[in-house]
Amino acid sequence: MTVRVRIAPSPTGLLHVGNVRSALFNWLFARHHNGTFVLRIDDTDVERSEQQYEDDIKSGMTWLGLDWDEGVDVGGPHGSYRQSDRFDRYRDVVDELIGAGHAYYDDRSPELLDELRNKAQKEGKHPNVYIRRPDTEATSGVVRFSVPQDAPIEFFDLVRDEMRFEAGVVDDFVILRSNGTPTYHLASTVDDVDYEISHVIRGEDLLSSTPKHILLTRAMGADPATYAHLPLLFGPDGKKLSKRHGDTSLKAYRAGGYLPEAMFNYLSLLGWSYDSETTIFSVDQAVERFDLEGVSKNPAVFDVDKLQWMNGEYIRAIPPDDFAQRARPLIEVELGHPPTESEWSIFVEMSPLLQERVKLITEVGEMSRFLFVDDVDFDEQSWSKVMIGETPVLALSVAIRHLTELGDWTVAAIEAALRAVLEETDLNPRKGWQPLRVAVTGSQVSPPLFESMAALGRPGTLHRLSVALNRLADEPEG
RNA sequence: GGCCCCGUCGUCCAGCGGCCUAGGACGCUGGCCUUUCAAGCCGGUAACGCGGGUUCGAAUCCCGUCGGGGCUGCCA
């Protein structure tokens, strides 16, 4: 079996995770069967198509690792993979269809068509039963495909098995707009035929359009592809995933600190499973096992919590050096300039501790902020919760003394000194150390204290401890 | 309204007639570990929409019903 599949997003908006999931399944199917994965740009809607969105599509696909064998930029044996370059070809097909009696011009007014639809609806019939070839021949307007009314349309869907649409339920749909541009149905079908697409794998929202595509294909004298309709992605409210559910563009997740590996893994689990036990698996493993037989029929809710958990898993699995490198841009943003050698070595020292704690790579910036400022901004909630009573002053001053006298400034030495503070003050770790944590990192939630102090260095640490002590002294009440 | 699809824990997925007193994961939750937070480890919570069949036996097959969704455009 020669597998040729495609994804044909339209550049009318940012690449949507729903489309990405379809792209992913197509890609997995192609790779599993050693087939060809095609990226086509469906820009038949000239009004709304924009170059920036095409760029977003390509960079998103590349980021996720969905490389295409044929298509825009990489080319291929079928000429242009941008539909706006192929309007002449679509025109030719339209002319042939008209010539063969499969299509006709229709210049009826929108009002009249509305009337016909309403009439059908009132009679409880298919909404478009009356939208058929009129008796009087037109020579301008839109071109409609003339749907044969005598036979049901049947096809086998790889996900949904036998599909059957009764005769008469498909309207004479528009294939060429009055401005001469092709509609989606036409362009997509012509391309699938011309590019010899073997399997059309797409969202279930196109399931009821499939009869149109099959009819068109046959009218062109070609054999229809094998179809597979994927379950839709829902938002938490059980409706088709859309902007009102928050971020739906791949770009937003990319910018939000998600790793492509995690996104890939998570998306592949929406409607498919590796086996009954495994949740985390590699791209290669997915390719090896993927098959459309195993695709679920039910819609899937896009669960950001699970994605985030998975992202954390992937972050922790990165080799420590790689993690630091991947976090480097965030540090640069945090600093406002490329890190100096000493700033970088401070970060690299702390990096493994941060790696364990973040779920999103973007959290690294905020979490390491305290390492790079002269004076920390105290998180007021932490301050007011921890710096109460007499003990913080005691803990801070005793700690300052012990740390000042300390010989080596190492994690182990710092720990010993701080344990001595507890001994001397008779405070428990919570009482004795949390004030130090707030003083040094600005927050009661932070990376481990000894390591933070070690990375910060003695002068920085002592400075912060005294700043906090001074602030306590200035406060009328503890 | 019409056509089409779908219906297992809150969510994603396993289950394709007996292995199911329904399994894994996220979430939620109890505990352990512990310098906070994470991470990790151990435990718990929670589902076959409903009603009929078929069968010795149904989450698995059939019918109905209810529920959800998609489409119904000169958008894709």
Side-chain angles (χ1 to χ4, degrees):
Chain A
M1 175 172 59
T2 304
V3 166
R4 289 180 55 81
V5 294
R6 47 62 166 188
I7 183 79
S10 67
T12 53
L14 293 174
L15 185 59
H16 186 276
V17 290
N19 284 128
V20 175
R21 202 278 304 254
S22 292
L24 179 57
F25 279 39
N26 272 282
W27 184 89
L28 283 171
F29 186 70
R31 294 293 169 260
H32 177 82
H33 291 285
N34 281 312
T36 302
F37 179 59
V38 178
L39 173 62
R40 215 162 66 200
I41 295 295
D42 185 347
D43 56 353
T44 52
D45 186 342
V46 189
E47 301 293 308
R48 298 195 298 141
S49 294
E50 291 181 35
Q51 182 61 41
Q52 62 165 119
Y53 295 133
E54 182 181 320
D55 295 341
D56 180 67
I57 289 165
K58 292 184 290 199
S59 78
M61 299 268 296
T62 303
W63 177 72
L64 244 205
L66 305 182
D67 56 328
W68 54 101
D69 311 297
E70 282 178 34
V72 285
D73 293 355
V74 307
H78 296 286
S80 176
Y81 290 78
R82 193 172 286 105
Q83 293 184 328
S84 55
D85 291 337
R86 292 171 41 81
F87 283 2
D88 289 347
R89 165 64 181 149
Y90 306 133
R91 267 304 324 196
D92 289 347
V93 172
V94 168
D95 290 341
E96 281 167 29
L97 290 174
I98 292 175
H102 288 308
Y104 59 91
Y105 277 104
D106 180 9
D107 60 2
R108 285 174 292 181
S109 69
E111 292 74 25
L112 176 55
L113 295 171
D114 272 353
E115 215 171 283
L116 293 174
R117 289 193 183 98
N118 289 337
K119 181 181 175 198
Q121 178 152 159
K122 228 171 281 165
E123 295 171 4
K125 294 177 179 167
H126 185 87
N128 293 316
V129 285
Y130 292 117
I131 302 190
R132 304 295 181 202
R133 191 194 288 258
D135 295 332
T136 51
E137 198 104 335
T139 53
S140 66
V142 299
V143 175
R144 286 183 188 278
F145 183 78
S146 184
V147 175
Q149 297 304 311
D150 49 359
I153 298 137
E154 292 176 312
F155 61 95
F156 187 80
D157 186 293
L158 253 24
V159 173
R160 277 147 225 284
D161 300 335
E162 299 293 344
M163 289 295 309
R164 179 189 168 94
F165 289 79
E166 294 305 327
V169 302
V170 181
D171 57 300
D172 283 3
F173 54 100
V174 173
I175 56 176
L176 196 73
R177 301 188 185 97
S178 52
N179 68 3
T181 61
T183 62
Y184 161 76
H185 297 304
L186 203 238
S188 163
T189 303
V190 171
D191 286 355
D192 288 344
V193 170
D194 286 355
Y195 299 175
E196 302 171 89
I197 298 302
S198 65
H199 296 75
V200 173
I201 306 168
R202 54 175 21 172
E204 196 209 301
D205 50 345
L206 268 342
L207 185 55
S208 27
S209 296
T210 303
K212 298 176 181 173
H213 304 161
I214 288 175
L215 258 14
L216 258 178
T217 305
R218 288 191 192 138
M220 287 176 68
D223 289 325
T226 301
Y227 289 89
H229 288 92
L230 271 20
L232 259 19
L233 258 37
F234 281 0
D237 62 349
K239 300 265 199 295
K240 193 161 96 166
L241 194 64
S242 71
K243 299 106 252 157
R244 71 173 189 287
H245 296 115
D247 291 328
T248 55
S249 71
L250 184 67
K251 191 181 194 174
Y253 288 93
R254 184 178 175 180
Y258 290 90
L259 264 29
E261 302 92 313
M263 200 70 195
F264 187 106
N265 193 156
Y266 178 69
L267 251 19
S268 71
L269 246 18
L270 260 24
W272 183 72
S273 63
Y274 183 79
D275 61 24
S276 64
E277 314 281 283
T278 315
T279 306
I280 306 274
F281 46 81
S282 69
V283 172
D284 287 346
Q285 286 177 294
V287 167
E288 194 204 324
R289 288 241 187 168
F290 186 82
D291 211 336
L292 288 170
E293 321 288 302
V295 172
S296 154
K297 295 176 168 70
N298 351 344
V301 173
F302 189 84
D303 180 3
V304 181
D305 284 342
K306 189 163 182 176
L307 205 211
Q308 196 166 104
W309 161 79
M310 189 171 279
N311 202 57
E313 293 288 308
Y314 274 90
I315 285 179
R316 272 171 257 122
I318 300 173
D321 290 350
D322 291 359
F323 175 78
Q325 282 309 324
R326 288 172 90 144
R328 195 180 172 102
L330 282 316
I331 297 305
E332 212 167 310
V333 168
E334 193 59 39
L335 288 166
H337 60 82
T340 64
E341 214 168 289
S342 82
E343 283 168 335
W344 184 244
S345 74
I346 287 174
F347 175 72
V348 168
E349 196 178 338
M350 289 298 288
S351 176
L353 298 171
L354 299 171
Q355 183 174 3
E356 238 172 49
R357 285 169 173 71
V358 298
K359 286 204 181 69
L360 304 171
I361 195 96
T362 43
E363 290 171 343
V364 169
E366 193 187 342
M367 215 173 264
S368 56
R369 178 168 304 150
F370 76 94
L371 292 168
F372 304 120
V373 292
D374 290 331
D375 290 292
V376 289
D377 286 323
F378 295 112
D379 169 57
E380 290 306 325
Q381 206 177 325
S382 294
W383 181 276
S384 59
K385 205 169 165 193
V386 173
M387 299 300 202
I388 47 169
E390 299 301 311
T391 52
V393 171
L394 178 64
L396 285 166
S397 42
V398 174
I400 289 173
R401 197 177 77 238
H402 278 276
L403 292 171
T404 307
E405 291 166 356
L406 194 59
D408 291 338
W409 191 257
T410 62
V411 173
I414 291 166
E415 173 166 5
L418 295 187
R419 292 206 182 276
V421 171
L422 295 188
E423 287 272 323
E424 182 177 332
T425 58
D426 203 30
L427 293 170
N428 63 26
R430 179 169 228 104
K431 279 285 179 190
W433 289 348
Q434 281 300 81
L436 309 185
R437 183 186 304 281
V438 173
V440 169
T441 71
S443 170
Q444 58 181 332
V445 175
S446 81
L449 186 57
F450 319 139
E451 286 84 348
S452 297
M453 287 180 165
L456 218 43
R458 188 189 323 243
T461 302
L462 290 174
H463 171 67
R464 288 169 196 214
L465 293 175
S466 14
V467 167
L469 196 54
N470 289 338
R471 174 168 168 179
L472 279 174
D474 290 344
E475 283 178 354
E477 282 301 299

